[in-house]
DNA sequence: TCTTGCACCTT
DNA sequence: GAAGGTGCAAG
């Protein structure tokens, strides 16, 4: 991390539109694709995805994380995201710039947040540590960018912001916010889906890719655990300006609380005091607005930071999921992966069902600012399972079963989404649940009773394992992780046909961001996740 | 750990 | 001026 957020002023305007101005894309960093035939070194130096062999229109797409330095800054401390019942925005907000899209082709951009591992964490002794097994994953939900579907030209025109996405810990959330468990680690992901002629993507040739920026991983909390994170948020989030220890704000606030006047103390004095008490703001510690050097050790005044830094926990995949390329440290050159086309021909044999999650989650990230790129990241079910109710899928092992149950809900089926049905797949569209402000949430498929429900079911029939759970291949060895497309297409053919067309067309202007979240219920049952049903 | 009401702030 | 995004602190 170098420029430590000196672009923040431009980057973080909480209320800017979902599409920010182009000039706010300075800190973007190229994405990297999985399965690339190009060597990481070569790719990184060229910063170009070699996807010429693909003809699905997804080749060459690159995603740049905006405000990477800010994300990295948080990541180095151990990013925490507040989750509330009402829903809380993420900060830093997730913004990207995408290049390589066909200007005239329509794409759908979505985000989801998947478990980073299967652990529950606690923050004690100024550090994060594993405290047990993770709670069952919340119902997976997709946040569809409100501009979707839009042409490549549109997406490429400016920064794409997902800042209106909200996180909640309310299992019964009716707003379509992404549901997470407190004290659990998560990894946001971006999906780019090529829309078909109907602005959906249910056709057999639907193509999509997934991008993961390891530095955006975080631990969900109901209240900040690490004071450093609190300070970073306060210093960088405009909405928290009132808590900045600068000027007389803090003193004034304290005085008001105490019901008495306050002495005017120079900002420098306040800062110094803050540093002496462990605040990250030492000297010019306004990190993100300072020079790279300044932000290099913004917490030099902070004591108690154990060797086991939070970010290590965030980055380190579970011991039993060895990082594919442990030699890469955070901050090193990233690998560039290849954007591969989803197609029937691609290997889909059970033995090669390597879930895209089987990639480095945090341990050996590609490089900061660069996303992992998964083309067709949602593995289809293994051969033979495509036409079988997934609930009937046998478990291959107890472990698999456990994982399947645990993460059964957060893996949306992108290949079964269709823009025409978005307005119905939202958790609380008027047409669905107009009378109940808090419709009961059913962790397992409750939507099959209506056309909409059918669609929801179709969308959700996929499990979402923690990213670290399936890292079983070395990204450098690209092609081995190619999406097992045969099954995928089978499913698409089976589930994405005409019924979707019957639904009212997605109307952008009538769909506020909160209604752009698709819930992927746990229908997925505690069965073998499609991507893991190797037997 | 979590919820809630609050003051303060941006948009 | 309204709406809504913040972290704080009490409970």
């Amino acid at each position: 991390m170098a420029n430590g957020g000196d672009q923040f002023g431009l980057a973080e305007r909480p209320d800017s539109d979902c599409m920010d101005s182009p000039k706010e894309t300075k800190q973007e960093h190229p994405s990297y694709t999985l399965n690339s035939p190009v060597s990481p070194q070569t790719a990184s130096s060229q910063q170009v995805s070699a996807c010429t062999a693909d003809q699905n229109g997804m080749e060459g797409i690159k995603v740049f994380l905006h405000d990477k330095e800010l994300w990295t800054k948080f990541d180095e401390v151990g990013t925490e995201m507040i989750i509330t019942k009402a829903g809380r925005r993420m900060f830093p907000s997730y913004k990207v710039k995408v290049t390589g899209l066909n200007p005239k082709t329509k794409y759908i951009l979505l985000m989801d947040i998947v478990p980073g591992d299967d652990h529950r964490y606690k923050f004690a002794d100024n550090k994060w540590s594993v405290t047990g097994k993770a709670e069952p994953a919340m119902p997976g939900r997709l946040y569809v960018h409100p501009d979707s579907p839009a042409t490549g030209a549109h997406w490429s025109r400016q920064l794409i912001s997902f800042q209106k996405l909200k996180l909640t810990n309310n299992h019964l959330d009716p707003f379509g916010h992404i549901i997470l468990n407190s004290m659990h680690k998560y990894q946001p992901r971006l999906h780019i889906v090529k829309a078909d002629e109907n602005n959906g993507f249910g056709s057999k040739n639907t193509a999509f890719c997934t991008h993961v920026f390891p530095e955006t991983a975080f631990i969900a909390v109901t209240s900040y655990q690490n004071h450093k994170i609190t300070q970073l948020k306060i210093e960088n989030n405009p909405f928290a300006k009132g808590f900045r220890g600068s000027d007389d704000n803090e003193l004034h606030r304290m005085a008001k609380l105490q019901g008495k006047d306050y002495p005017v103390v120079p900002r420098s004095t306040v800062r110094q005091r803050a540093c002496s008490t462990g605040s990250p703001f030492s000297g010019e510690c306004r990190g993100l607005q300072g020079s790279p050097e300044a932000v290099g050790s913004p917490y030099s005044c902070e004591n108690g930071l154990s060797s086991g830094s939070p970010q290590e926990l965030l980055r380190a995949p579970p011991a039993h999921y060895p990082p594919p390329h442990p030699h890469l440290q955070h901050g090193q050159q990233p690998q560039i992966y290849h954007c591969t086309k989803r197609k029937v021909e691609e290997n889909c044999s059970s033995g090669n069902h390597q879930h895209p999650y089987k990639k480095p989650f945090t341990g050996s990230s590609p490089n900061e600012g660069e996303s992992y790129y998964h083309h067709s990241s949602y593995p289809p079910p293994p051969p033979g399972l495509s036409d079988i109710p997934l609930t009937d899928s046998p478990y291959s092992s107890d472990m698999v079963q456990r994982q399947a149950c645990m993460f059964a809900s957060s893996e949306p089926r992108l290949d079964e989404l269709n823009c025409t049905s978005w307005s119905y797949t939202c958790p609380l569209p008027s047409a669905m649940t107009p009378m109940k402000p808090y419709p009961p949430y059913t962790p397992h498929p409750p939507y099959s009773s209506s056309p909409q429900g059918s669609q929801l079911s179709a969308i959700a029939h996929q499990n979402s394992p923690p990213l670290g759970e399936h890292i079983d291949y070395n990204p450098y060895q690209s092609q081995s992780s190619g999406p097992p497309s045969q099954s995928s297409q089978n499913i698409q053919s089976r589930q994405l046909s005409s019924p979707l067309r019957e639904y009212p067309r997605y109307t952008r202007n009538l769909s506020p961001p909160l209604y752009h979240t698709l819930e992927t219920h746990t229908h997925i049952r505690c069965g073998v996740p499609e991507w893991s049903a190797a037997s």
Side-chain angles (χ1 to χ4, degrees), chain A residues 197-398:
Chain A
E197 62 277 11
N198 297 305
N199 287 330
F201 40 104
S203 67
K204 287 186 177 182
N205 293 323
T206 292
F208 65 87
C209 51
T210 299
H211 296 260
V212 175
F213 292 96
E215 59 267 65
T216 60
F218 63 86
I219 289 181
V221 298
T222 54
S223 62
Y224 292 123
Q225 305 296 304
N226 189 340
H227 181 64
K228 294 175 184 175
I229 288 297
T230 305
Q231 293 306 314
L232 277 174
K233 299 256 184 176
I234 290 174
E235 285 299 302
N236 295 284
N237 190 332
F239 286 111
K241 191 175 182 178
F243 298 99
R244 293 180 186 175
S246 59
D247 298 324
D248 304 326
N249 290 342
E250 187 171 357
L251 291 172
H252 197 167
R253 203 160 47 83
M254 293 175 64
K256 291 185 70 173
L257 288 175
Q258 297 173 9
K260 56 187 177 184
D261 290 338
Y262 60 95
V264 177
V265 181
R267 171 187 296 218
S268 58
T269 301
V270 175
R271 290 196 177 291
Q272 214 164 13
R273 181 170 51 196
C275 285
S276 65
T277 57
S279 163
F281 310 106
S282 61
E284 244 335 272
C285 289
R286 304 183 70 81
L288 302 179
Q289 296 170 350
S291 66
E293 294 71 21
V295 300
S297 57
Y299 309 115
S300 57
C301 295
E302 187 85 10
N303 53 24
L305 180 60
S306 69
S307 56
S309 63
Q311 67 272 26
E312 287 181 307
L313 281 173
L314 277 171
R315 292 197 166 289
H320 52 295
Y321 302 118
H325 40 99
H327 57 288
L328 270 188
Q329 298 301 317
H330 191 48
Q332 288 184 299
Q333 282 303 307
Q335 310 116 326
I336 293 182
Y337 297 112
H338 184 65
C339 165
T340 59
K341 178 182 179 180
R342 158 184 291 187
K343 56 182 183 179
V344 179
E345 292 74 18
E346 290 182 343
N347 187 346
C348 60
S349 64
S350 59
N352 289 324
H353 271 268
Q354 295 166 319
H355 192 276
Y357 285 141
K358 295 178 178 179
K359 64 171 183 60
F361 164 48
T362 53
S364 49
S365 66
N367 194 16
E368 32 191 15
E370 324 252 359
S371 72
Y372 285 100
Y373 179 96
H374 310 263
H375 187 74
S376 304
S377 90
Y378 295 93
L385 287 183
S386 299
D387 299 321
I388 300 176
L390 295 175
T391 47
D392 297 331
S393 300
Y395 295 116
S396 57
S397 68
D398 289 342

Side-chain angles (χ1 to χ4, degrees), chain A residues 413 416 455 458 461 490-497 500:
Chain A
R413 284 293 300 270
E416 294 174 354
Q455 176 58 19
H461 286 212
N490 287 342
I491 285 189
Q492 288 174 349
S493 299
R494 174 170 53 85
Q495 301 179 326
L496 295 178
S497 50
L500 298 179

